Amino acid sequence: MGIWRYDGGVVRRQARRENGRFQPVGVDMGELRGTHVPVLLERCLELLAPALGRADRTIHVDATLGLGGHAEAVLEAHPHTVLIGLDRDTEALAHARVRLARFADRIHLEHAVYDELPEVLARLGYPAVDGVLFDLGVSSLQLDAPDRGFAYSQDTALDMRMDQTRGVTAEEVVNTYPHPDLARVLRVYGEEKFAIRIASAIVRERERARITSSARLAELVVENIPAPARRTGGHPAKRTFQALRIEVNRELAALETALPAALDKLTLGGRMVVLSYHSLEDRLTKAALADRVRSKGPVDLPVELPGSGPTFRLLSRGAELPGEVEVAANPRAASVRLRAAERIDPEAERRRTDRERYRRRVKAMHQPGTGSARPTPVDGAGTDEEGEGT
């Protein structure tokens, strides 16, 4: 969700335009802890622009507001856009409110998780929206703040809650989950090959004394991963800490609900952009979009059945990756995967698909040695490898 660099002082620069392009160079955040640089900012703006710039007033949802970097750029680029910003982290909301103060007459900042989007929209009186952005994962503010317990490189309390006003902590998970549940969390959410071994070590340790330190937990993980496996793939505790964070914050469960709910709220021509930072998030995103861009009717029919055609089209060929320049400026952007889609008119798409199917059948009938041909999926109907591209 961007970079949060410690620089020992207050940064007094705003994100600005140079040669018509946004340059994420920092923002004066008063007492904030450093400099925030949004990930893939230009590409997100490019993808959202057709949806947000088409009417006198458009509605955009930043489902993971964070420090407001993407939101600020959207509001500056689209003077008639109303922003609805969601975040479960009250500290991030407070920082974003300061950053976006000059847009106060067209922003709604809500303390909510993204799966609460339908309830938030109903409360604010917005039946539909034109743009949605998800910038998933842990924010740089949370990761770098030593008191939040997300980092395995710092010795602090095992909290890991994005919303520190509610929910169980990582300390409670580590010290109370039965061995099978703890191993499942590490295996499924962390994709940890040594999940059972690590869970056993945690259970043995907590029988002697409660585990309260992030440093001690990291030591346990390192001690119980074979030496050859410790030499590759970054810090050995990375996967365990990821798994605990996802479990504490219900990240994947919330995302699985939030993605289809957000798609349902988009207007015709509305667009959704999702930035994922690990394979589990990207897998859920890919599945949610694939369900909307495929035809649900029998492929061998000469025409598309009403109501069975795709309702969205993909805007990227598979998952877009960051470029070398982006990664050099934002090291934490290295793992980002971008996917995007646009709501389309299913009837217009059905007519286009029917014409294409008919054309292909006629062409096949005139091929030597054939009398018919099985139609193949057309643009956006059967694959996530079609779209506007990069």
Side-chain angles (χ1 to χ4, degrees), residues 79 91 127 141 156 162 173 175 213 239 264 286 319 321 329 350 360-361 365 390:
E91 184 181 1
L141 168 63
T156 186
M162 294 178 179
V173 173
N175 288 284
S213 162
R239 291 179 295 274
D264 289 341
K286 179 179 178 180
L321 309 181
R350 182 173 68 86
R360 292 188 179 188
R361 289 176 67 86
M365 291 174 63
T390 59

Side-chain angles (χ1 to χ4, degrees), residues 229-250:
R230 295 200 299 263
R231 298 191 187 105
T232 59
H235 196 288
K238 175 176 64 177
R239 291 179 295 274
T240 293
F241 273 64
Q242 172 187 295
L244 291 173
R245 187 202 83 217
I246 291 173
E247 173 69 10
V248 165
N249 296 288
R250 295 181 51 256

